Amino acid sequence: MTMNTAALANRFRIAGALEFIETKDGLVKAVISRGGAAGELFLQGAQVTAWQPTGAQPVIFLSPRANLAPGKAIRGGIPVIFPWFGPHPNDPKAPQHGLARTAAWRLDRTEETADGVALEASLAVGGFALTYRAVFGDMLWLYLTARNISAQTAAFEEALHSYFAVSDVEGVSICGLETNGFIDKTADMRLGRAAGAPLRLTKETDRVYLDVPDRLAITDPGWNRRIVIEKSGAASTIVWNPWPEKAAAMGDLGADNWHGFVCVETGNVSDNRIELAPGATHEMTTRVRLDAQ
Ligand code: TA6
């Protein structure tokens, strides 16, 4: 059951802090503003598409060519990837990156807290019950909980596929992965060795890092800031930028938009996938904040 925008606003709006609007193609998004901080979340996919703390440049990138239409994956923001990451393991017809990002989530609760404006949504998918809480304030807090509602032990992969806005992807460096090897998706899944230094992107990059530390940072000299990503319950990090050639072939991105973002994704994928007994739950959290350089 989907509620129309008016009914949603009636039930969930918070005067001066949270409103609901509908895009021309009929998608509903929550628009958050509080004490100068701003944010957006689409109910389709429970997808954060904007977060900007007071007085700062945007932290989340949304492609200017993104499809904002029902059933289409939105290019940018923070897609929620569940219950599989990448191509389906044995069904080539199944959509890339699972079902949650194009599904209609149900909004369950909104509130103002000391940390910011919070929205809670839920979705039943693939034998799991998901709840997702996003809190928009001076920091961005994300909590994804999965409960196995089937009668069998079951496994899933998950990721918060965050597109972080940067001044220039060729100028940033990523700290926290110095001692981790990776699966290189640009080289037939070959294993890459730990670099021993912060990661700089110099070409198309698509890497899965396993068993990573709980704190990473993107240093951006162009905007004189660091985006700090702290997480729990998430053992994998994925780093991605398609570079110009692949970006040009993506209708919802284009060769003019690849420079302004880097994906640094929090998740549990590949050997870090999660297995849950019936009735068991798993929570993955991410907190994003800005540090001056
Ligand atoms: O997270 C990196 C990745 O898995 C890449 O392989 C690339 O395909 C990217 O996701 C985007 O996937 P999408 O299905 O949104 O085009």
Side-chain angles (χ1 to χ4, degrees), residues 91-264:
D91 177 1
K93 291 204 194 74
Q96 152 115 330
H97 284 330
L99 305 167
R101 67 173 175 171
T102 51
W105 289 60
R106 187 185 69 190
L107 188 61
D108 296 316
R109 209 150 88 96
T110 61
E111 60 179 341
E112 256 193 301
T113 72
D115 295 324
V117 175
L119 295 92
E120 243 172 60
S122 58
L123 178 74
V125 61
F128 294 92
L130 299 183
T131 57
Y132 189 51
R133 183 176 169 86
V135 187
F136 297 82
D138 293 334
M139 297 193 257
L140 179 66
W141 309 71
L142 304 169
Y143 307 82
L144 180 63
T145 304
R147 184 161 56 86
N148 179 355
I149 53 174
S150 76
Q152 291 81 34
T153 294
F156 63 83
E157 295 178 301
E158 59 183 352
L160 298 175
H161 193 304
S162 309
Y163 289 71
F164 289 107
V166 294
S167 60
D168 172 358
V169 68
E170 295 181 274
V172 302
S173 58
I174 301 168
C175 305
L177 301 167
E178 290 83 351
T179 57
N180 286 83
F182 56 91
I183 301 166
D184 191 341
K185 289 175 73 173
T186 67
D188 298 326
M189 310 302 259
R190 259 202 308 273
L191 291 183
R193 283 204 298 175
L199 172 62
R200 299 283 310 255
L201 281 70
T202 57
K203 58 186 165 104
E204 178 199 357
T205 301
D206 194 352
R207 297 178 173 190
V208 175
Y209 291 84
L210 301 178
D211 306 318
V212 298
D214 279 346
R215 190 172 181 279
L216 302 170
I218 304 166
T219 301
D220 184 346
W223 283 345
N224 195 25
R225 69 180 188 181
R226 267 173 0 124
I227 301 172
V228 179
I229 306 156
E230 287 153 331
K231 57 190 175 66
S232 68
S236 321
T237 289
I238 302 96
V239 178
W240 178 63
N241 186 287
W243 240 234
E245 216 176 304
K246 284 219 170 139
M250 297 162 68
D252 59 358
L253 186 61
D256 46 351
N257 291 310
W258 67 280
H259 235 246
F261 76 92
V262 64
C263 287
V264 179

